[in-house]
Amino acid sequence: MADTLPPADGDDRLTQVMLAHVSEAVVVCDQAGIVVRASRVARELCIADPTGQPLEKAYPLQTVDGAVFSLPKASDSRERTRAALQLDERTVSLLLRVDRTDVPAAGLSGYVVVMTDISEHALTEDKVRSSQAELRRLLETADRSRRALLSVLEDQRQTERALSDSERQFRDLVEQSVAGIYIVQHGVLAYVNP
């Protein structure tokens, strides 16, 4: 995309050269929020040349809370803002930094907006969140399984204790009986009381 700015000299030419070589999307707006300069990367984020358009029209940004991006509000907060730019075929996740600028010698008074594409980072975050959710689900399943196993083991211990108690009671009853008791198993004498 060709540089649409008129020829300039001095500080303005330096600004143009810098904007032509930055690797992030940089947009310079006047006080009214009209785009007066845009880097090559910033122009690539637009369907049409953003110069002369309001920032909100050239870049219909939406913040993560669903609100429409506000240039004055973002510049007042002095914090980076996460936003999404819906293009025809995809959504670009951006981290925005807005600073007020006032350079009378260059005839600039307005805003500088730096848009960093964090789409890959956002995708990675989504994958991490998804993996964390899956891990939580697996940990919950493992914990339920562990509790069920402990319950089965406790039931088995109680059954073994009850069987042992029952055998002891039977043995005590048989050994203390005055009558003769014997047990035959498979035709063989297995037990005779004393």
Side-chain angles (χ1 to χ4, degrees), residues 120-167:
E120 289 299 318
H121 179 74
L123 286 174
T124 302
E125 282 181 340
D126 288 345
K127 288 178 183 177
V128 166
R129 275 191 294 277
S130 176
S131 295
Q132 287 173 336
E134 179 66 13
L135 180 59
R136 275 191 299 277
R137 188 188 67 75
L138 290 172
L139 288 173
E140 288 169 1
T141 300
D143 188 53
R144 283 193 301 273
S145 297
R146 182 188 60 81
R147 281 186 265 130
L149 179 59
L150 288 174
S151 177
V152 166
L153 290 173
E154 182 58 32
D155 289 348
Q156 183 180 356
R157 275 190 231 115
Q158 288 177 358
T159 302
E160 287 172 357
R161 271 190 243 121
L163 179 60
S164 177
D165 289 347
S166 177
E167 287 174 347

Side-chain angles (χ1 to χ4, degrees), residues 26 57 69 76 115 130 138 146 172 187:
V26 178
K57 182 178 179 196
F69 175 76
D76 289 341
M115 297 182 273
S130 176
L138 290 172
R146 182 188 60 81
D172 289 347

Side-chain angles (χ1 to χ4, degrees), residues 26-89:
V26 178
V27 178
V28 180
C29 298
D30 64 14
Q31 286 287 68
I34 304 298
V35 177
V36 293
R37 305 241 185 321
S39 70
R40 176 189 51 79
V41 177
R43 289 192 308 269
E44 289 171 359
L45 286 175
C46 284
I47 295 170
D49 181 12
T51 307
Q53 296 184 51
L55 180 77
E56 291 80 13
K57 182 178 179 196
Y59 302 95
L61 298 164
Q62 193 170 34
T63 61
V64 291
D65 62 0
V68 174
F69 175 76
S70 165
L71 188 58
K73 185 177 176 183
S75 71
D76 289 341
S77 78
R78 312 250 311 131
E79 292 182 18
R80 293 178 181 215
T81 304
R82 287 184 77 150
L85 176 63
Q86 184 63 48
L87 301 175
D88 288 337
E89 64 279 354

